[in-house]
Amino acid sequence: MFSKKLPPLQSFLVQVSRRASHLARQQYDVIVVGGGHAGTEAAAAAARVGAETLLVTQKIHTIGALSCNPSLGGVGKGQLVKEVDALDGLCGRAGDWAGIHFSILNRRKGPAVWGPRAQLDRQLYREFIQSELLSTPRLTVLEGSVEELLVTEPDPEEPGHHRVTGICLANGSQPISASSVVLTTGTFLSGSLFMGQTSSPGGRIGDAPSSAGLSQTLRERLGLRIGRLRTGTPPRIVKDSVDLSLAELFPSDSTPTPFSFLNTHTRCKPEDQLPCHLTHTTPGVERVVMESLHLNCHIQEDAKGPRYCPSIESRVLRFPGRQHQVWLEPEGLTSDLLYPQGLSMTMPPDVQLRLIREIPAMHRAEIHTPGYGVQYDFVCPTQLSPALQVKNTQGLFLAGQINGTTGYEEAAAQGLWAGVNAARWALSLPAVMLSRTESYIGVLIDDLVSRGVTEPYRMFTSRAEFRTSLRPDNADLRLTLKGFEEVGCVSSLRHQEAVRVRDSLQDALEALQTLTVSTPTWRKKLPNIHISEAKNTIVTGMNMLQYNDVSFEMLASAYPECLSPYMEFSQRLKIEAVYRPHCDLQKKEIERIQKEEKMSLPQDIDYFSLPVSLSQEVREILDRVRPSTLGAATRLQGITPAAIVHLLNYVRHTEQKRRRKQSHQKEERGEELCETNASLPQ
């Protein structure tokens, strides 16, 4: 693992320049526009499927750049990274190479909702992605800006009103033809940068926006519905100017967990990993925000920003008087900068400095690069098929922020799947789909194409109704075999490893199931585990592994002859044993929802005080729309299937209580009637 040496960045640029010098008259199967997380995954996936692929990006040296937070993964997002890796994508292995602080979020909860996460070294991550692309067969990289799409009449044998046949570059060179095109423009589609009262064209500071002709083609030539979204990034802080002793120290996990199923450890050793620090805002921060609102044109715009990663201005306006977390995160092993997660802002630079100095740990801080906001166009994703192809345009695929999402992980997941289907379209193969019952990628795509977005979409585990079976630990079993046998995007090397793991786990589970021992014997073998004295039955190893305090290592120590060969999978076996009954129950719940979809919802219900697990977003939607039935609620934009399960359980419980109360009242009335009749003269 990690045996290869990455070529120097300059070597990459020289080699790419050579490869990009003979493109004027070439024909490609797939053209990918954009070199961000969606674009790099799309290009690599298309090439793995077998398509001759061209990646076009404005600046070659920014391929794989971490435009905002130098991190990967998290709750919900980590599941996406694991699934992208299971399908032979890039970002998981890149995270293991460039990670400098690994941790599992949500560890106090069950493993199904654990969030693998890593802080990244920006330079190492970018170099790894560029090296991978350079070494990918059938993939060529071109530096340039796309002026517009080549659009012609559709193939009458296929659905759609238009057909994309290639691209035109802004430099006026000869058009480049392709059977399919994947647009991954990120924040660059008609992008505008905001800082204070000034604005300028761009999708990222130092870079120009995509050509206006591209937006015009989508809007006018193809007739797509286009919306506007916004996001932002915090200032970068000079590390030596921060007093970290005034912030709470958070070290990385003692045993880092890799993202990739191909890796057994991370490149950065545990002792070399860097800590993060936690601090909080003060009333002074709120005061600076309120005093400078008139100087901040970005916050006054109508474009929707990210709900789950809001600017400090949005937080103060929405939750006045509250204290907000600020994470001080390293940007690299040798970087002299810190990333203040939670302080995205768009006020003038001098006001930004005043604001950060209101936080004790940063009372003498210096800003290296000020924060800024971005507004950009996106295509309403309900106009896409589950293959991420534009419904009315043959051969055109979209992925990433152009579909209304936010985050590297969401972009990478869409990019991989759009790249796969773009390649299959070009090679005259049928499109492939991922169900929300088998993957978070399926949940993501289904949410986008069926519900659309009104604000930047972020993945959470709560969006998946099957999350106890869609776990980070089993993404390889769920997707790698399908990726090899049905999709064609997985290498034989990874497939062989997945088959080995699958067979070994099946053998181990069978060994656990066939290990049948009486409870008195288990008490002798595991004296420190409380097993009820009332139980004198035969218990399998699988049943014992479901005990909270029982680990696979304990069982293997007690019965080494049948279990010790599977020590490599000890954690996965423990998780599998714990969740097996939950997975069965979860499937039954979904079937129950389908049967009882017509259940009425009380019109006077107070959704904000409802004692069930519903997000604030879901409560707001239900309160605003007030659906009359559970079926109507399932079709509301922003209502997750998981929320429907909780709502169904609450309504059923309320209905049962109402019926019991009516029955009790009826019995009381019957008794009163009997007493009255008994007291009447005979």
Side-chain angles (χ1 to χ4, degrees):
M1 185 188 103
F2 298 138
S3 58
K4 73 172 186 176
K5 294 183 178 179
L6 298 185
L9 183 58
Q10 187 62 34
S11 171
F12 173 84
L13 299 179
V14 171
Q15 293 181 62
V16 167
S17 297
R18 280 198 207 106
R19 298 174 68 180
S21 62
H22 304 290
L23 298 176
R25 300 180 183 274
Q26 290 190 22
Q27 162 80 36
Y28 290 88
D29 295 321
V30 177
I31 294 176
V32 178
V33 181
H37 297 270
T40 52
E41 294 288 356
R48 291 198 304 275
V49 172
E52 289 294 332
T53 305
L54 173 67
L55 172 62
V56 183
T57 182
Q58 290 190 15
K59 292 183 179 180
I60 290 172
H61 72 268
T62 61
I63 288 175
L66 299 164
S67 299
C68 196
N69 194 357
S71 69
L72 189 70
V75 178
K77 290 173 172 284
Q79 279 82 342
L80 288 175
V81 176
K82 299 286 284 189
E83 291 183 356
V84 168
D85 178 74
L87 291 166
D88 231 356
L90 308 178
C91 64
R93 289 180 291 119
D96 292 344
W97 177 270
I100 58 176
H101 175 109
F102 288 83
S103 60
I104 299 294
L105 306 185
N106 241 13
R107 198 184 279 275
R108 286 181 294 180
K109 297 185 179 180
V113 294
W114 285 356
R117 186 180 187 275
Q119 289 298 130
L120 305 174
D121 185 300
R122 290 185 186 273
Q123 181 177 344
L124 291 177
Y125 188 89
R126 187 174 71 248
E127 289 177 353
F128 185 95
I129 294 293
Q130 293 176 0
S131 174
E132 284 291 311
L133 294 182
L134 182 61
S135 61
T136 299
R138 296 180 294 275
L139 176 57
T140 305
V141 181
L142 170 66
E143 186 173 275
S145 180
V146 176
E147 176 67 27
E148 62 179 348
L149 300 174
L150 297 177
V151 182
T152 187
E153 294 299 313
D155 180 349
E157 301 298 321
E158 299 286 347
H161 305 303
H162 315 279
R163 180 164 62 96
V164 164
T165 60
I167 61 171
C168 286
L169 297 176
N171 62 9
S173 61
Q174 190 169 345
I176 305 173
S177 299
S179 299
S180 58
V181 175
V182 185
L183 294 183
T184 65
T185 51
T187 60
F188 286 81
L189 192 63
S190 297
S192 299
L193 304 179
F194 291 82
M195 189 185 300
Q197 294 178 298
T198 65
S199 65
S200 59
R204 178 173 56 210
I205 196 165
D207 295 320
S210 62
S211 171
L214 191 54
S215 264
Q216 187 175 6
T217 300
L218 297 174
R219 191 189 305 268
E220 299 180 10
R221 181 73 172 87
L222 303 183
L224 297 178
R225 298 191 308 278
I226 306 294
R228 195 82 170 154
L229 293 173
R230 72 182 182 192
T231 187
T233 191
R236 308 308 193 260
I237 308 300
V238 177
K239 185 176 182 179
D240 290 343
S241 68
V242 178
D243 187 353
L244 294 176
S245 67
L246 298 179
E248 186 178 357
L249 177 72
F250 278 81
S252 61
D253 288 351
S254 57
T255 304
T257 303
F259 287 112
S260 179
F261 289 99
L262 295 182
N263 293 333
T264 57
H265 60 277
T266 61
R267 179 174 179 265
C268 188
K269 297 178 181 179
E271 62 269 22
D272 296 330
Q273 294 187 25
L274 303 180
C276 293
H277 293 79
L278 175 64
T279 184
H280 296 83
T281 60
T282 64
V285 169
E286 182 169 337
R287 184 182 67 254
V288 173
V289 168
M290 299 305 295
E291 291 175 353
S292 62
L293 287 177
H294 65 289
L295 301 174
N296 194 334
C297 62
H298 181 69
I299 198 67
Q300 300 169 19
E301 296 285 339
D302 292 332
K304 283 279 189 177
R307 171 187 291 260
Y308 301 105
C309 185
S311 66
I312 187 61
E313 296 99 325
S314 297
R315 292 186 182 198
V316 166
L317 290 174
R318 190 173 182 186
F319 304 107
R322 290 195 187 178
Q323 190 181 63
H324 303 283
Q325 289 186 340
V326 178
W327 288 94
L328 302 176
E329 301 171 340
E331 296 217 340
L333 289 172
T334 60
S335 174
D336 60 353
L337 301 180
L338 290 175
Y339 181 94
Q341 173 69 29
L343 285 184
S344 172
M345 60 182 76
T346 57
M347 56 192 63
D350 60 318
V351 182
Q352 294 187 32
L353 184 61
R354 281 176 47 207
L355 185 147
I356 65 170
R357 289 185 172 180
E358 291 292 340
I359 298 173
M362 294 189 283
H363 67 285
R364 294 180 180 175
E366 296 293 339
I367 292 178
H368 179 272
T369 306
Y372 60 92
V374 187
Q375 294 185 18
Y376 56 95
D377 284 350
F378 79 102
V379 175
C380 300
T382 53
Q383 300 167 104
L384 306 180
S385 74
L388 295 179
Q389 181 175 13
V390 176
K391 292 176 182 177
N392 74 352
T393 306
Q394 299 167 5
L396 180 60
F397 298 78
L398 309 181
Q401 286 178 286
I402 192 174
N403 289 340
T405 60
T406 181
Y408 305 147
E409 303 82 3
E410 291 84 352
Q414 294 171 72
L416 184 146
W417 208 242
V420 160
N421 280 299
R424 293 179 67 87
W425 172 273
L427 300 175
S428 300
L429 297 172
V432 285
M433 315 296 175
L434 279 176
S435 166
R436 63 184 304 125
T437 64
E438 63 183 335
S439 67
Y440 273 87
I441 299 177
V443 172
L444 166 66
I445 293 173
D446 183 62
D447 283 349
L448 292 176
V449 303
S450 63
R451 295 183 174 92
V453 299
T454 56
E455 59 188 31
Y457 178 103
R458 183 216 193 274
M459 177 53 69
F460 284 104
T461 53
S462 60
R463 297 190 188 272
E465 64 270 46
F466 293 103
R467 58 185 173 273
T468 58
S469 59
L470 306 183
R471 305 187 304 271
D473 66 281
N474 67 3
D476 55 342
L477 301 184
R478 292 185 279 113
L479 298 176
T480 299
L481 273 62
K482 176 173 183 172
F484 181 81
E485 298 165 359
E486 301 177 31
V487 181
C489 65
V490 170
S491 68
S492 58
L493 175 66
R494 184 182 288 269
H495 176 251
Q496 291 169 10
E497 174 63 12
V499 169
R500 183 189 75 82
V501 170
R502 179 199 62 187
D503 293 347
S504 298
L505 286 173
Q506 287 177 349
D507 291 344
L509 292 171
E510 184 177 347
L512 285 167
Q513 197 64 43
T514 56
L515 178 62
T516 55
V517 181
S518 66
T519 49
T521 303
W522 279 120
R523 292 189 196 100
K524 293 178 181 178
K525 291 283 187 178
L526 304 173
N528 295 325
I529 302 301
H530 175 70
I531 302 174
S532 174
E533 294 288 343
K535 291 184 178 180
N536 286 297
T537 58
I538 300 298
V539 179
T540 68
M542 179 68 76
N543 295 142
M544 287 302 302
L545 198 52
Q546 292 172 355
Y547 278 65
N548 287 337
D549 298 330
V550 175
S551 67
F552 183 80
E553 289 85 351
M554 292 180 184
L555 300 185
S557 177
Y559 295 95
E561 63 282 357
C562 60
L563 297 181
S564 59
Y566 309 110
M567 285 295 296
E568 167 188 1
F569 307 105
S570 58
Q571 186 181 58
R572 294 186 68 161
L573 290 167
K574 172 67 176 180
I575 295 172
E576 188 67 35
V578 168
Y579 278 107
R580 178 160 286 192
H582 294 270
C583 292
D584 295 337
L585 178 63
Q586 201 170 58
K587 292 176 184 177
K588 294 177 182 178
E589 283 185 335
I590 299 301
E591 293 172 357
R592 184 160 54 92
I593 286 178
Q594 294 171 344
K595 292 178 181 178
E596 302 178 3
E597 194 180 15
K598 295 182 179 180
M599 180 177 289
S600 298
L601 296 175
Q603 288 300 295
D604 60 349
I605 190 170
D606 183 358
Y607 289 106
F608 290 106
S609 62
L610 211 60
V612 295
S613 179
L614 297 175
S615 70
Q616 184 66 18
E617 176 188 6
V618 167
R619 293 177 188 272
E620 290 173 2
I621 294 170
L622 290 171
D623 183 70
R624 182 175 69 251
V625 180
R626 295 202 161 270
S628 58
T629 66
L630 197 67
T634 64
R635 294 185 288 273
L636 289 179
Q637 180 176 313
I639 302 296
T640 65
I644 295 298
V645 170
H646 295 308
L647 196 59
L648 171 61
N649 289 334
Y650 174 79
V651 173
R652 289 191 65 186
H653 178 67
T654 303
E655 180 66 15
Q656 289 172 356
K657 287 178 61 177
R658 185 185 66 81
R659 289 178 180 176
R660 285 197 298 267
K661 183 176 180 180
Q662 288 179 342
S663 177
H664 182 65
Q665 290 175 342
K666 186 176 181 180
E667 291 175 357
E668 289 181 341
R669 286 197 299 270
E671 292 174 357
E672 291 174 357
L673 183 60
C674 289
E675 292 175 357
T676 301
N677 291 338
S679 63
L680 292 175
Q682 300 297 318

